[in-house]
Amino acid sequence: MCEKQDQAWLEDSLEKNDEEVFKIIRKEKERQRSGLELIASENFASAAVLQALGSCLNNKYSEGYPGVRYYGGAEHIDELERLCQKRAREVFKLDADKWSVNVQPYSGSPANFAVFTAIVQPHGRIMGLDLPDGGHLTHGFMTDKKKVSATSIFFESMPYKVHQDTGYIDYDRLAENAKLFKPKVIIAGVSCYSRHLDYKRMREIADENNAYLMADMAHISGLVAAGIVPSPFEHCDIVTTTTHKTLRGPRSGMIFCRKGVRKVTAAGKEEMYNLEKPINEAVFPGLQGGPHNHAIGGVAVALKQAMTEEFIADQKQTIANARHMAKLLLDRGFNVVTGGTDNHLMLVNLKNKGTDGNRADKTLEAIGIACNKNSCPGDTSALRPSGLRLGTPALTSRGFKEQDFDKVVHLIDRAVQLTLDIQNSLEPKAPFKDFKDKLYKDPKFVEEVKALKGEVSAFASRFPMPGLPTL
Ligand code: DSN
């Protein structure tokens, strides 16, 4: 028989069991606590979500769906998955007779690929917003030289674009091209677009071409849950999402699809949807194995939280903060693409400031502000994108209000000025490596980086960090 002490190493805390990993996690936690998180797709999960994620749910295999599993002992997992599905429909106010939901996708990218696998034949056609224009990789990204996303490798992808001068989606051109391309699916979804999508117009375009309209609401799902931005469910056949962005859950994904009558023909014949079964089969057994039950547990918790008054207030604050931040940036002469924002993010084109996304992003990172470089409408080189994508969900979860963003924008402005000072100390066409050397090694700039980083840290540390009790 196994002695109790033989098993002790399996009970030890992480700190005792694996000091190396423990220390890395501690450092990352300190980075998150003392820095300013402006990556538009990131957020801070609550302690309850993190607890569910770190639970024994991780141990269970349960291939299949509730009631029809390939492994025994899944009765509690069935209860959990059904609860998660029920809450998913409640949050987005969906009728169970009209909408099916699959909560098993490991994240947003697998969710999107499962939909395409289910309803688009190999080499079938898909139209999504181009990546440099604010779309997502999985919406079919490819360049002149390479089919980058698997969506463009296994399916035929034709992007739609934004107007280069305004930054708004060019729906007329989408309509024109859809008529020629005849896609099977049109994707209404974005990774970097600060305006509401015109789902109604996109529905019309999809209908004209007998295409499905799929929304990828990953970025805005928390805002949709709070009912403060237009809901894609009104007009779309399929809606995919991640669960860890504005929704503030664990890293996971969901697919919603319509069921029942799709349309009634001119002859009065009802045409039914056939999405639920193909999509479920594409997720499992088509693309995935056992569901990540610890993630599904965390999603269920996040969905319950998303139905609270506190969550709704927080989502409203997220938008209010983004609007305020965009205005402050405009006041300081920054070019905010489209002139502002309707949601949680904004794209800032740094061309008029004399720098680019790569360089500014590096300086911001060095002083403890995390965001990401992003191409702007009209950019020709993906290697030197002109802009920065900035988002407010994470800092709003830490309790930041409009006035706190005054300081955030002030720090960004100083970082951009420092970027220009470094550039001016170099030859005009100096490579990026020289810029980084100056930033990290030149005593003239290192001092300022240190001072700014200290300021960021002192400011950020004043705010609580959700989930803090958890490791
Ligand atoms: N990486 C996410 C984003 O930043 O938008 C999308 O997958």
Side-chain angles (χ1 to χ4, degrees):
M1 205 177 97
C2 185
E3 290 295 325
K4 210 170 173 210
Q5 65 265 34
D6 294 341
Q7 290 291 86
W9 68 287
L10 296 177
E11 312 290 335
D12 280 346
S13 68
L14 178 63
E15 184 173 13
K16 200 163 164 208
N17 203 296
D18 188 335
E19 213 188 339
E20 263 178 296
V21 169
F22 178 79
K23 281 187 176 158
I24 293 171
I25 295 176
R26 270 289 155 89
K27 279 191 287 186
E28 171 57 15
K29 189 171 187 175
E30 184 49 25
R31 187 196 67 79
Q32 292 185 14
R33 202 189 59 82
S34 64
L36 292 172
E37 186 52 71
L38 290 170
I39 293 177
S41 47
E42 290 189 12
N43 213 331
F44 292 97
S46 66
V49 165
L50 293 178
Q51 235 181 318
L53 263 184
S55 72
C56 66
L57 293 171
N58 175 70
N59 301 338
K60 187 72 195 104
Y61 254 121
S62 59
E63 270 118 324
Y65 288 100
V68 274
R69 304 283 186 182
Y70 289 82
Y71 290 77
E75 60 269 31
H76 306 302
I77 298 299
D78 279 1
E79 187 184 354
L80 178 74
E81 190 167 333
R82 285 194 180 108
L83 177 66
C84 190
Q85 289 171 318
K86 178 173 156 284
R87 287 183 179 171
R89 275 190 286 251
E90 273 169 25
V91 167
F92 296 105
K93 301 181 179 52
L94 304 175
D95 183 340
D97 293 333
K98 293 190 178 140
W99 286 92
S100 162
V101 56
N102 188 313
V103 297
Q104 292 193 8
Y106 297 147
S107 197
S109 300
N112 288 347
F113 203 75
V115 171
F116 305 144
T117 302
I119 62 171
V120 185
Q121 292 300 305
H123 297 287
R125 295 170 178 187
I126 292 170
M127 289 184 85
L129 183 61
D130 211 2
L131 181 89
D133 292 50
H136 189 251
L137 263 175
T138 57
H139 300 171
F141 182 55
M142 56 188 188
T143 67
D144 296 348
K145 297 194 182 79
K146 196 171 174 198
K147 293 191 168 195
V148 181
S149 160
T151 308
S152 63
I153 296 172
F154 297 108
F155 308 101
E156 301 302 326
S157 140
M158 180 180 197
Y160 58 92
K161 311 279 292 175
V162 297
H163 285 286
Q164 287 199 10
D165 42 349
T166 63
Y168 279 81
I169 289 174
D170 187 345
Y171 292 101
D172 292 338
R173 199 156 154 226
L174 165 61
E176 241 173 69
N177 286 339
K179 246 185 219 166
L180 298 171
F181 191 60
K182 293 286 171 204
K184 187 79 188 269
V185 183
I186 296 176
I187 305 163
V190 298
S191 203
C192 184
Y193 188 68
S194 61
R195 297 301 181 179
H196 296 320
L197 292 179
D198 189 345
Y199 297 112
K200 186 169 174 289
R201 179 84 203 273
M202 296 183 91
R203 173 80 266 164
E204 286 160 10
I205 299 170
D207 285 345
E208 278 161 22
N209 297 286
N210 200 26
Y212 287 112
L213 182 60
M214 168 186 136
D216 177 347
M217 64 164 186
H219 263 266
I220 55 162
S221 55
L223 309 175
V224 176
I228 55 171
V229 293
S231 169
F233 289 99
E234 197 185 333
H235 295 288
C236 296
D237 305 298
I238 302 158
V239 178
T240 64
T241 187
T242 52
T243 50
H244 47 273
K245 298 187 174 89
T246 43
L247 198 55
R248 220 205 273 130
R251 309 189 86 87
S252 195
M254 299 193 283
I255 304 171
F256 299 83
C257 65
R258 279 187 189 266
K259 49 189 189 179
V261 179
R262 184 178 181 195
K263 63 177 159 203
V264 182
T265 65
K269 195 169 168 279
E270 283 186 343
E271 216 175 87
M272 307 302 281
Y273 276 108
N274 178 25
L275 295 173
E276 183 182 14
K277 190 166 179 282
I279 288 175
N280 285 345
E281 286 177 357
V283 173
F284 173 83
L287 293 164
Q288 296 190 174
H292 290 180
N293 294 310
H294 55 311
I296 292 174
V299 172
V301 174
L303 290 168
K304 181 168 184 230
Q305 292 177 343
M307 288 184 269
T308 60
E309 286 304 317
E310 290 89 337
F311 181 86
I312 294 170
D314 191 80
Q315 299 295 307
K316 286 182 180 161
Q317 189 65 52
T318 299
I319 294 186
N321 285 345
R323 287 207 169 125
H324 184 68
M325 190 180 182
K327 186 183 171 303
L328 293 173
L329 287 162
L330 287 164
D331 289 348
R332 285 174 184 254
F334 283 92
N335 174 5
V336 179
V337 175
T338 76
T341 180
D342 294 331
N343 56 29
H344 62 298
L345 66 78
M346 68 217 68
L347 175 61
V348 182
N349 190 332
L350 296 168
K351 248 187 198 162
N352 68 328
K353 290 276 178 185
T355 186
D356 60 76
N358 272 353
R359 284 158 179 77
D361 174 50
K362 265 293 156 239
T363 311
L364 286 162
E365 184 184 65
I367 69 165
I369 299 182
C371 62
N372 64 279
K373 53 186 170 290
N374 216 99
S375 46
C376 293
D379 274 358
T380 44
S381 162
L383 295 175
R384 200 168 173 164
S386 304
L388 293 174
R389 184 184 68 164
L390 305 169
T392 55
L395 292 186
T396 307
S397 291
R398 292 188 71 176
F400 279 59
K401 301 281 190 291
E402 285 94 327
Q403 65 274 17
D404 303 311
F405 278 89
D406 295 353
K407 175 81 175 169
V408 174
V409 170
H410 170 71
L411 288 163
I412 292 173
D413 203 6
R414 283 172 63 192
V416 170
Q417 190 50 55
L418 174 59
T419 308
L420 293 172
D421 293 345
I422 297 174
Q423 274 177 224
N424 291 337
S425 72
L426 291 162
E427 291 297 317
K429 290 214 165 145
F432 188 39
K433 185 188 161 304
D434 293 1
F435 176 86
K436 283 193 287 185
D437 282 349
K438 286 261 176 193
L439 176 68
Y440 292 115
K441 294 182 195 150
D442 186 331
K444 194 166 142 213
F445 300 114
V446 167
E447 270 313 298
E448 193 173 347
V449 167
K450 205 170 145 204
L452 277 171
K453 190 168 183 166
E455 218 175 297
V456 166
S457 171
F459 176 58
S461 303
R462 285 178 17 212
F463 295 84
M465 175 177 155
L468 199 64
T470 338
L471 190 66

